Amino acid sequence: MARSQSRLTAEIDFERDGKQHGFIRLPYSVHRSAYGWIPIPVVCIKNGDGPRVLLMAGNHGDEYEGQVALGKLIRALKPAEMRGRVIILPSANFPAAMAGMRTSPLDEGNLNRSFPGDAYGGPTAQIAYYIEKELLPLCDYAFDFHSGGSSLTYIPSTLMRRPQTPAEVEAGADLMRTFGAPFGYMADGGWGEHTLTAAAARAGVTHMGTEIAGGGQVTPAALRILEAGIRRVLHKVGALTGEPPPAAAETRIMQVRGADYYVYASDPGLFEPLVELGDTVETGTPAGLIHPHDTPWREPATAGFARAGTVICKRVPGRVERGDCLFHLAADFEA
Ligand code: CA
């Protein structure tokens, strides 16, 4: 791999044992600060040799559960209970996190559509470049804690890119069962080569993500699943010693394969959902009505499911535009 040309620098030394915190400095020269930098919080906890893990949240700034859980983990973890190294990036797209937005207010950048990034691009592209070229090569595992954010909410789930071989499928399912969310799904890479998932695959790093509720809030139930799952997974890969939290509910292993798993609004209007999270649906089951509140004497449009499955994700805000995602399904995993 070509040498990294990243302009970002970490204040902490990822090779040093112990617990360090500081900032990754993203140079940002603007009117109010000619030689300034954006401070992206980073923590490194290292205890000798062992597994090398990246824990990340705030990839989307309005997905709060992971940011809260990683802050709590940062304050709790002690080097003596670790083996190897965890690098924790709790608000990866820091400008987006501080704005409580999915995308960066500085450049509209969606970090999880920005990999492999650009050393001389906007702030979001520079963050993606730094993660792919500098952080992922330091890691064996990358765990990225998403949720549905402001516009969607999920049944708490883990996800990963659909593996190629039966042995990899079993290893992936095993990791998902260890995490212990109600659902774990293997996805066919629908968002292309610009996600952290794709970046991890390029770097040869084992990746798992979450979609852990959302709706622009943090709930005790979602946080319990996330915090215990993170600790169980760290224990499983050998990074955390001692006793992991007791196993949670059984994880149902699912798949999400293509566009027919998603339902979109065909018209602008007000969204009346006709199903709930966890419902089982068939091809043609009505998913929701879109009411034309600008012309309320017209009949609403009906959005339907294009295939059978279980509803794991739904839109939260009632107002929709044509093209907004209303639901997505998962189906039981089939080899
Ligand atoms: Ca997300």
Side-chain angles (χ1 to χ4, degrees):
M1 188 188 298
R3 225 176 89 80
S4 168
Q5 299 185 312
S6 178
R7 301 168 64 229
L8 281 64
T9 53
E11 294 179 344
I12 60 178
D13 178 359
F14 298 127
E15 302 306 324
R16 192 200 299 167
D17 273 342
K19 182 168 170 176
Q20 306 166 75
H21 65 260
F23 300 103
I24 295 165
R25 299 181 174 194
L26 195 175
Y28 193 59
S29 177
V30 291
H31 175 76
R32 58 155 280 277
S33 183
Y35 300 157
W37 40 269
I38 295 166
I40 304 168
V42 64
V43 171
C44 179
I45 307 172
K46 184 171 180 298
N47 186 14
D49 294 330
R52 305 174 306 160
V53 182
L54 175 65
L55 301 177
M56 187 166 137
N59 183 334
H60 293 133
D62 64 341
E63 300 174 6
Y64 305 115
E65 297 92 332
Q67 301 181 57
V68 171
L70 290 186
K72 293 170 78 173
L73 191 72
I74 283 167
R75 297 188 295 277
L77 275 187
K78 297 177 180 67
E81 60 182 334
M82 306 285 313
R83 276 187 55 247
R85 176 179 63 207
V86 288
I87 296 172
I88 307 177
L89 205 56
S91 301
N93 196 350
F94 183 71
M98 291 305 285
M101 289 171 61
R102 178 175 180 82
T103 51
S104 175
L106 302 181
D107 57 9
E108 298 290 323
N110 178 340
L111 179 57
N112 216 32
R113 305 288 183 274
S114 299
F115 293 92
D118 179 349
Y120 294 94
T124 308
Q126 291 191 45
I127 293 169
Y129 184 91
Y130 178 83
I131 291 170
E132 176 149 355
K133 291 291 197 296
E134 304 245 351
L135 290 185
L136 287 179
L138 301 178
C139 297
D140 307 306
Y141 301 93
F143 301 121
D144 189 20
F145 305 111
H146 289 249
S147 74
S150 304
S151 72
L152 301 171
T153 188
Y154 274 84
I155 294 181
S157 303
T158 42
L159 71 148
M160 61 180 56
R161 179 175 273 204
R162 188 185 183 89
Q164 301 294 314
T165 68
E168 289 168 340
V169 167
E170 197 34 59
D174 192 34
L175 197 57
M176 288 175 161
R177 291 190 187 102
T178 298
F179 186 94
F183 288 80
Y185 64 91
M186 308 216 170
D188 283 51
W191 310 117
E193 296 306 309
H194 302 291
T195 61
L196 181 75
T197 309
R202 284 191 287 273
V205 171
T206 299
H207 168 275
M208 184 173 73
T210 64
E211 293 292 359
I212 211 89
Q217 61 174 339
V218 177
T219 66
L223 211 54
R224 268 196 299 276
I225 291 169
L226 180 57
E227 291 186 64
I230 293 171
R231 283 184 172 269
R232 278 194 296 274
V233 163
L234 286 177
H235 186 270
K236 181 180 180 63
V237 303
L240 192 56
T241 60
E243 276 300 303
E250 201 156 303
T251 299
R252 189 168 156 192
I253 304 299
M254 311 291 281
Q255 61 187 9
V256 176
R257 301 223 70 168
D260 61 342
Y261 284 72
Y262 294 78
V263 178
Y264 289 91
S266 60
D267 292 90
L270 299 183
F271 170 41
E272 178 189 352
L274 298 176
V275 298
E276 279 295 353
L277 289 176
D279 284 356
T280 303
V281 303
E282 302 299 328
T283 304
T285 298
L289 301 174
I290 312 294
H291 294 276
H293 55 314
D294 55 348
T295 47
W297 44 87
R298 285 170 52 217
E299 289 296 320
T302 305
F305 290 100
R307 57 160 297 122
T310 301
V311 179
I312 64 164
C313 173
K314 73 165 183 177
R315 177 175 173 86
V316 174
R319 165 76 205 180
V320 298
E321 298 295 337
R322 179 178 294 128
D324 286 344
C325 181
L326 304 178
F327 291 103
H328 90 75
L329 298 174
D332 284 308
F333 186 83
E334 287 177 50

